[in-house]
Amino acid sequence: MFDQEDSELNVAIGVVFGVIALVIALVIGMGMYQIRGNTRVAEPVATAAVAVPAPSGAGVAIPAVEYVDIAETGAALTVVYFDFAQSGLPASAGDALALVVAELAARPDASVLLSGFHDAAGSAEANAAVARERALAVRAALIDIGVPGERVLLRKPAETLGGSDAAEARRVEIRVQ
């Protein structure tokens, strides 16, 4: 009789100590995650093997680029909006590009992350191409004004369809991270 009670007590004590150990491990893990999360710079997770040709007619010869798989952090620093079915950089993009250059000057270890979007009009292939060309146009403009090409990364968004408002959807989001 005493052996059964001792066995049940040992199981109960083992469960209590197991739960305590899990709580301690969770607290330590969360602390380490917060410490590492506040000090790490966003690093490329992987580079997709999708080669993107350089835009034709760009002012600077740009080699083929690849999309990178980097998590976006925070809201976009700025956004460049495009006209319907256009991938040429609009005249209004100058202020956005100047803002990016100023942010890069303040953060020399940061990179520019570009994501192109499109509206719902047209075929999926044409829309993907125009979203890519818009991002490449912004990339070419940044390189033209002196941003090193290795600091300008293209990210293929999980969803390139930019929302319900067509004018808002035709955009390139620019993040400095």
Side-chain angles (χ1 to χ4, degrees):
M1 181 157 172
F2 290 109
D3 288 336
Q4 185 178 0
E5 288 177 12
D6 287 341
S7 177
E8 290 173 2
L9 184 62
N10 286 342
V11 169
I13 291 174
V15 168
V16 169
F17 281 121
V19 169
I20 291 172
L22 285 173
V23 169
I24 291 171
L26 179 66
V27 169
I28 291 171
M30 291 298 292
M32 293 301 293
Y33 176 76
Q34 287 179 347
I35 289 170
R36 291 185 76 207
N38 290 337
T39 59
R40 277 188 5 193
V41 176
E43 299 172 5
V45 176
T47 302
V50 179
V52 180
S56 58
V60 173
I62 301 172
V65 294
E66 295 181 348
Y67 287 118
V68 293
D69 186 18
I70 297 177
E72 296 174 338
T73 57
L77 173 66
T78 188
V79 179
V80 176
Y81 295 99
F82 291 80
D83 291 329
F84 177 74
Q86 298 299 312
S87 60
L89 201 64
S92 61
D95 292 339
L97 299 179
L99 182 62
V100 172
V101 170
E103 184 69 18
L104 284 174
R107 298 172 50 194
D109 61 329
S111 295
V112 179
L113 187 62
L114 306 175
S115 298
F117 295 86
H118 59 78
D119 59 21
S123 71
E125 289 176 353
N127 285 340
V130 76
R132 180 186 68 233
E133 291 297 321
R134 289 173 178 158
L136 288 171
V138 173
R139 182 179 193 276
L142 286 168
I143 292 171
D144 281 346
I145 60 175
V147 177
E150 61 273 3
R151 291 184 73 185
V152 184
L153 308 172
L154 271 70
R155 179 180 186 276
K156 186 174 184 178
E159 177 65 43
T160 56
L161 186 60
S164 59
D165 180 14
E168 176 75 17
R170 296 185 297 265
R171 70 183 188 276
V172 171
E173 292 182 350
I174 304 172
R175 288 179 168 73
V176 176
Q177 56 186 45

